Amino acid sequence: MHNLHAVTIAIMAANVLVSLKGFNDNAFFDRYKFSIGSIKAGQKDRAITSGFLHVDMTHLFFNMFTLYFFANVVINWFGPGKFLIIYFISLLGGSLLALFFHKDEPFYSAVGASGAVTGILYAAILLNPDMPLQFVFIPVSFPAYALGIGYMVYSIYGMKSRLGNIGHSAHFGGAIGGYTTTLLFKPDLLVTETFIVVLLAIPIVILFALEKMGKI
């Protein structure tokens, strides 16, 4: 599983190189990070470039660590071309949802590959919902779909309570990107994995229902 495909290595290398540049060049970091005010002023490239910047080595490591474990699941099903499409749609989906929820906060900013990586994670969950996942230091395995639903519910809570210095909306937007693109590429999942598809859709419906009611 962990013999990485060249496309995964390329994505990881791009994240490492751009992040290292950002660590050592504040002007570069500030120019390419996600920034509501700057995007609304016309610098729309930030919606993509911000996904290759990270705050520090820990932030970078955890995103690449997650990608390391789940990229091959998606590549083995779809091939490297569709993997890249899912990755970048998820990245863009994370930025668009962050823009939607923070559009009236001109000083809101964010960085990280979390949206793209979360999209790959959710694509992998849809494709292999029963694969066992285990948290570090917790000797108990969970089916992948349970983690998926739990994480989306946690992201809703994080968005509602502004929990921590975390871009919950980008994570959620990335998950939606991975979820919808995977179903577009493999619509028979609607038949073969109907229960899982519906379960993973419930937090998405809840999020937009709460937004519509003005509760998030």
Side-chain angles (χ1 to χ4, degrees), residues 34-210:
F34 182 91
S35 168
I36 294 290
S38 298
I39 289 173
K40 291 175 77 171
Q43 294 179 353
K44 295 180 173 55
D45 59 310
R46 291 172 181 261
I48 297 295
T49 58
S50 59
F52 291 89
L53 288 167
H54 290 80
V55 172
D56 52 33
M57 287 299 297
T58 301
H59 187 205
L60 173 64
F61 171 78
F62 277 109
N63 275 331
M64 296 304 98
F65 186 69
T66 304
L67 186 63
Y68 169 77
F69 277 106
F70 295 101
N72 273 4
V73 176
V74 180
I75 292 171
N76 289 341
W77 276 89
F78 288 140
K82 288 183 177 178
F83 165 82
L84 281 174
I85 291 172
I86 293 172
Y87 186 92
F88 280 99
I89 285 180
S90 298
L91 194 166
L92 186 58
S95 292
L96 289 175
L97 198 69
L99 183 61
F100 175 76
F101 278 102
H102 300 283
K103 58 184 177 292
D104 297 322
E105 302 170 46
F107 297 106
Y108 179 88
S109 64
V111 294
S114 301
V117 172
T118 305
I120 295 299
L121 169 64
Y122 278 86
I125 289 173
L126 269 176
L127 294 166
N128 192 1
D130 293 319
M131 62 179 170
L133 299 178
Q134 184 174 319
F135 294 103
V136 179
F137 307 125
I138 301 177
V140 179
S141 294
F142 302 88
Y145 69 85
L147 172 66
I149 295 166
Y151 189 75
M152 292 184 88
V153 170
Y154 168 75
S155 292
I156 292 173
Y157 171 73
M159 291 168 68
K160 185 174 176 60
S161 62
R162 299 298 182 97
L163 183 67
N165 188 27
I166 300 171
H168 296 287
S169 54
H171 294 186
F172 206 104
I176 293 173
Y179 175 88
T180 55
T181 309
T182 299
L183 291 178
L184 286 172
F185 285 155
K186 193 170 174 55
D188 60 287
L189 288 171
L190 293 165
V191 176
T192 61
E193 297 290 352
T194 306
F195 180 65
I196 299 301
V197 170
V198 172
L199 276 181
L200 289 176
I202 290 173
I204 298 173
V205 173
I206 291 173
L207 174 69
F208 286 102
L210 288 173

